[in-house]
Amino acid sequence: MSSEMPAENPLPTDVPDVEEKINSNDNQVKKGEPGSDKAESIGVMSKRQMKKLMKQKQWEEQRDLRRQRRKEKRQKRKLERQYQLESNNEGSDRKRIRRDVVPSTLRLIIDCSFDNLMVLKDVKKLHKQIQRCYAENRKALHPVQFYLTSHGGQLKNNMNENDKGWVNWKDIHISSEHYNELMKKEDLVYLTSDSPDVLNELDETKAYVIGGLVDHNHHKGITYKKALQQGIGHVQLPLGNFVKMNSRKVLAVNHVFEIILSYLEKRNWKEAFFNVLPPRKGASPLSEANDSSKCELREKEAGEDNSSDSD
């Protein structure tokens, strides 16, 4: 009998270690746990992915705000289209009105020969009045033939400094010459409040002259005297026939100019006066003023009678 013990069978070399197998199984269980994939993915998420995720979240949160903004933009575009349509209609109306314009043959002259009688402050006021005349004549239904004569001195310098566009004015005749050199003597009529003659009807074959003077009544009657010296016609507007005024009857250059334009359109002196005269003049219709005066007179007489009865 052999004394040698039988050799033990060696373990197969390809059989995995038991501990290694257990660890492997544990890892598989962990991977299969709910939420484990998300946790793993978040743990390895890059900065770019994080930003993308935040933007998506912000986009979803601002959905209602974007909807509101789109609605506001649609409303804004609708209003803009409506405004554009209205503007086009107004433009068509203006063009239609301009086609209805019938220029008058009446010549209206602003005599600027009083430049040396005014201080610069008053020259600037005259400049503004002339600007107003120009603007009103441009949009009038019956624009006059507008003249500025004896243009120079302080007035021209002020216009060059403060209104350089005057050299491009349209539908106006600006001249350094005196109106006597531009018009026939028999056509000239000076509009002056000191004239005893009252203008009843405009003669559109005439050239009416307005004194371009802002003097605050320092040179009373100067335009009337000038008309007499030159032997030309003179009249005053029929202001006293229709209007009761609290202030003096001397009107600003642009007021006289605008009253003439208004009369050419309405052919009614009363309407022309009240369409132009500013409230500060305290103008009221002459009939109302007369009724008020009569009422005051009756009240005064009644008061006198009551005082005599008490005596």
Side-chain angles (χ1 to χ4, degrees):
M1 186 174 179
S2 174
S3 59
E4 293 181 3
M5 295 293 292
E8 295 181 357
N9 294 330
L11 291 172
T13 56
D14 57 343
V15 176
D17 186 80
V18 174
E19 186 177 353
E20 193 176 19
K21 185 176 180 180
I22 291 170
N23 291 337
S24 177
N25 289 339
D26 288 342
N27 290 337
Q28 288 177 4
V29 171
K30 288 179 181 178
K31 289 180 180 179
E33 289 177 358
S36 60
D37 290 343
K38 185 176 181 181
E40 185 179 0
S41 62
I42 292 175
V44 297
M45 185 177 290
S46 66
K47 290 183 179 180
R48 182 179 296 177
Q49 289 173 323
M50 287 289 289
K51 288 181 180 179
K52 186 176 181 181
L53 185 63
M54 293 297 292
K55 284 183 180 179
Q56 184 177 355
K57 184 179 179 182
Q58 189 178 14
W59 175 267
E60 291 174 355
E61 290 174 349
Q62 294 181 350
R63 182 177 294 140
D64 292 339
L65 181 60
R66 291 194 304 275
R67 187 181 295 115
Q68 180 65 24
R69 285 177 177 174
R70 286 195 297 269
K71 184 178 179 181
E72 290 174 357
K73 283 183 179 180
R74 286 195 298 269
Q75 290 176 343
K76 185 179 178 181
R77 285 196 296 268
K78 183 179 178 181
L79 290 173
E80 286 175 351
R81 287 194 297 268
Q82 185 177 353
Y83 175 77
Q84 186 66 35
L85 183 62
E86 291 175 355
S87 298
N88 291 339
N89 290 338
E90 289 177 4
S92 299
D93 291 341
R94 284 194 293 269
K95 289 177 182 178
R96 186 161 52 251
I97 290 173
R98 292 303 299 174
R99 283 198 295 269
D100 293 339
V101 167
V102 179
S104 171
T105 56
L106 183 144
R107 290 158 288 174
L108 201 50
I109 303 165
I110 296 180
D111 174 17
C112 304
S113 64
F114 304 100
D115 193 81
N116 61 326
L117 299 179
M118 292 184 288
V119 296
L120 183 58
K121 180 181 177 181
D122 291 334
V123 170
K124 290 182 176 180
K125 288 181 180 179
L126 176 62
H127 176 204
K128 289 183 179 180
Q129 292 176 8
I130 291 171
Q131 286 177 315
R132 181 67 182 266
C133 294
Y134 174 73
E136 290 299 318
N137 196 51
R138 288 281 291 166
K139 64 183 182 182
L141 286 177
H142 303 293
V144 297
Q145 309 303 309
F146 187 11
Y147 287 81
L148 283 184
T149 61
S150 302
H151 183 252
Q154 296 182 92
L155 176 62
K156 185 176 181 180
N157 291 337
N158 185 71
M159 291 175 71
N160 286 334
E161 291 176 7
N162 302 305
D163 185 18
K164 295 180 181 179
W166 72 268
V167 295
N168 298 319
W169 283 1
K170 300 177 181 179
D171 303 321
I172 184 172
H173 310 277
I174 302 177
S175 175
S176 59
E177 296 179 293
H178 195 273
Y179 53 78
N180 275 334
E181 301 172 25
L182 302 173
M183 310 288 169
K184 295 179 180 179
K185 186 176 179 179
E186 58 268 23
D187 290 345
L188 291 164
V189 180
Y190 221 112
L191 294 171
T192 169
S193 60
D194 297 300
S195 173
D197 301 328
V198 178
L199 178 64
N200 292 315
E201 182 67 33
L202 284 173
D203 184 348
E204 295 189 50
T205 66
K206 297 292 185 180
Y208 292 92
V209 184
I210 302 171
L213 177 62
V214 178
D215 69 337
H216 308 287
N217 218 23
H218 295 156
H219 302 280
K220 289 188 67 174
I222 189 170
T223 53
Y224 176 53
K225 292 174 185 176
K226 185 174 184 178
L228 291 177
Q229 290 171 358
Q230 295 176 352
I232 62 175
H234 50 80
V235 292
Q236 63 167 292
L237 294 176
L239 192 64
N241 295 345
F242 301 94
V243 182
K244 173 68 176 177
M245 295 180 64
N246 295 336
S247 61
R248 61 197 181 113
K249 292 197 298 181
V250 178
L251 303 176
V253 170
N254 60 294
H255 292 154
V256 177
F257 195 101
E258 291 173 50
I259 287 168
I260 297 296
L261 290 178
S262 186
Y263 178 79
L264 289 172
E265 180 181 344
K266 301 176 183 300
R267 296 292 171 176
N268 184 300
W269 283 116
K270 184 177 180 180
E271 287 187 34
F273 288 132
F274 285 100
N275 187 50
V276 173
L277 291 176
R280 69 174 183 273
K281 288 290 185 181
S284 60
L286 193 60
S287 56
E288 293 180 10
N290 290 338
D291 292 341
S292 177
S293 298
K294 290 177 182 178
C295 183
E296 290 175 1
L297 181 61
R298 284 196 296 268
E299 290 176 357
K300 184 178 180 181
E301 291 174 350
E304 291 175 353
D305 291 341
N306 291 335
S307 61
S308 61
D309 291 341
S310 62
D311 292 341

